[in-house]
Amino acid sequence: MTRVPLYLRSRIEEVRKRFTYELYESQKLPDWERFAITWIVLMVFWLIITSDLTLQGLALGLPATGIVAYFMRDFLTDDIRHSKHLVGKLLYFALLYLPQYFIIMAFRLLESNIKVAKHALLGDIRPGIVKIKTDLHSDTGVTILANSITLTPGTLTLDVVKKLDGTYLYVHWIDVQTLNPDKAGEIIKGDVEEWLKKVFW
Amino acid sequence: MLEIIFLLFGYSMMFFGALGVIRFPDVYTRLHAATKCDTGGAMGIVFGLALMADAPIIVKAKLLILLMFIAMINPMISHAIAKGAYRYGVKPKVEVDMYAWDNP
C-alpha cells in the first residue's frame, strides 16, 4: 500500500465509499414494509397508553397512528437489515429476539448494580478511558450498543467517532484490566454486538 | 413476597448510589454510581409496584412501558453529561486517557 500513487489511493477510497453506500441502499427495506412495521409498533403503543380496548378506541387509533406512521416511516426502521418476510421478521423479533435481549440486559444490570455498590463501599477503583472498535455502522445500532455498554458493569460511553473502517467508541472504564483494543472490546461488549448484528447493519 | 424483595432491592440500590455519589473522586466515576444505581433502583421499585398494584392488566402494562423508557433514557442523559463535562474542560482523574490522545 505504500507504493500506491496518490491519485490511485484517492480513487480506491472513492470506490470503497460508493461500495459501502450501495450495500446500504440494497439492504434497505421496501417502502410498504417500513410503513407496516411503524404502524404496528405505534398501534401497540397507542393501545397500552390509552388502555382502551373498545371499538371506539380502535376506530380512533387506527387512522391516527396510520397518518403518523406514513410521515415517520423512515425514522424507526431505516437501519433494519433486509433478511426475511415481514411476518417472520415480526414474529422473530417479538417472540425470540426482544425477550432474550431483555433477560440478558436485566442480569447484566443486576451485576453492575452490585459491582458499583461494592466499589462505593470498598473504594478500590482504577479508572481509565479506553478506545474500542465495533463493526456496526447504522445510527440505531450504535445507539443501542452505546446504551447497553453504559448499563453493563463498570463502563460508561463517552463519545462515538465514525470512521470508514468501522465505528470507534471511547469508554470510561472504572477498573481497567487491559489496554489492547481487541481484548478490551471482547470484555466490554460481550455478546451484545453479536445480538445487534442479527437485526441492524 | 416477591414484590417485597424487589422493593427492598430498589431501596438498597438507591442508598448505595447516593453513597457512591458522595464517595467517588471526580465527575465521571460519580456518573457511574448515579446512572447504574438509579436505573436499577427505579426499575426495581416500579417493577415491585407493578406486581403489588391491585389493578387490571393493562395498567400494569403501562408501568412496564415506563420501565422500558427509564432503561432507554437514563444512559443517554449520562452520556450527554459526560461529554458535556469533557468539552467544558473537566479533567478526569485517570491512569490512561485515550480520548485526550486522539483529540488534543
Side-chain angles (χ1 to χ4, degrees), chain B residues 62-95:
Chain B
K62 251 188 231 184
L63 282 177
L64 291 186
I65 287 281
L66 178 66
L67 208 126
M68 202 184 74
F69 276 120
I70 290 173
M72 273 170 59
I73 291 170
N74 225 336
M76 285 185 212
I77 300 298
S78 86
H79 160 69
I81 293 174
K83 197 178 170 187
Y86 209 103
R87 284 288 172 84
Y88 187 68
V90 180
K91 289 295 170 202
K93 293 175 185 170
V94 289
E95 303 199 341

Side-chain angles (χ1 to χ4, degrees), chain A residues 45 47-53 102 109-110 112-114 116-117 119-123 125-131 143 146-161 170 172-174 176 179 181, chain B residues 9 13 16-17 19-20 23-26 28-29 31-33 35-41 43 58-59 61-62 65 68-69 71-76 78-79 82-83 86-87 92-99 102-103:
Chain A
F45 188 67
L47 282 182
I48 292 176
I49 285 299
T50 59
S51 65
D52 186 7
L53 287 179
F102 277 154
L109 183 60
L110 182 69
S112 82
N113 278 340
I114 293 170
V116 167
H119 283 310
L121 280 180
L122 299 181
I125 55 173
R126 221 162 62 89
I129 296 175
V130 297
K131 174 184 180 184
T143 308
N147 280 353
S148 308
I149 283 176
T150 301
L151 289 183
T152 48
T155 49
L156 190 143
T157 313
L158 207 69
D159 201 358
V160 179
V161 175
Y170 294 95
H172 185 276
W173 202 355
I174 206 169
V176 176
L179 289 183
Chain B
F9 171 75
M13 272 313 138
F16 283 123
L19 191 69
R23 285 195 61 179
F24 280 154
D26 65 338
Y28 306 96
T29 41
L31 267 180
H32 276 275
T35 310
K36 281 162 201 151
C37 289
D38 275 7
T39 312
M43 284 175 79
I58 198 120
V59 178
K62 251 188 231 184
I65 287 281
M68 202 184 74
F69 276 120
M72 273 170 59
I73 291 170
N74 225 336
M76 285 185 212
S78 86
H79 160 69
K83 197 178 170 187
Y86 209 103
R87 284 288 172 84
K93 293 175 185 170
V94 289
E95 303 199 341
V96 288
D97 191 355
M98 292 191 186
Y99 195 63
D102 290 346
N103 306 292

Side-chain angles (χ1 to χ4, degrees), chain B residues 1-48:
Chain B
M1 190 57 213
L2 197 61
E3 61 262 23
I4 302 291
I5 294 174
F6 275 109
L7 285 178
L8 277 181
F9 171 75
Y11 294 148
S12 59
M13 272 313 138
M14 286 289 192
F15 174 74
F16 283 123
L19 191 69
V21 169
I22 293 172
R23 285 195 61 179
F24 280 154
D26 65 338
V27 178
Y28 306 96
T29 41
R30 281 179 185 175
L31 267 180
H32 276 275
T35 310
K36 281 162 201 151
C37 289
D38 275 7
T39 312
M43 284 175 79
I45 290 173
V46 172
F47 194 69

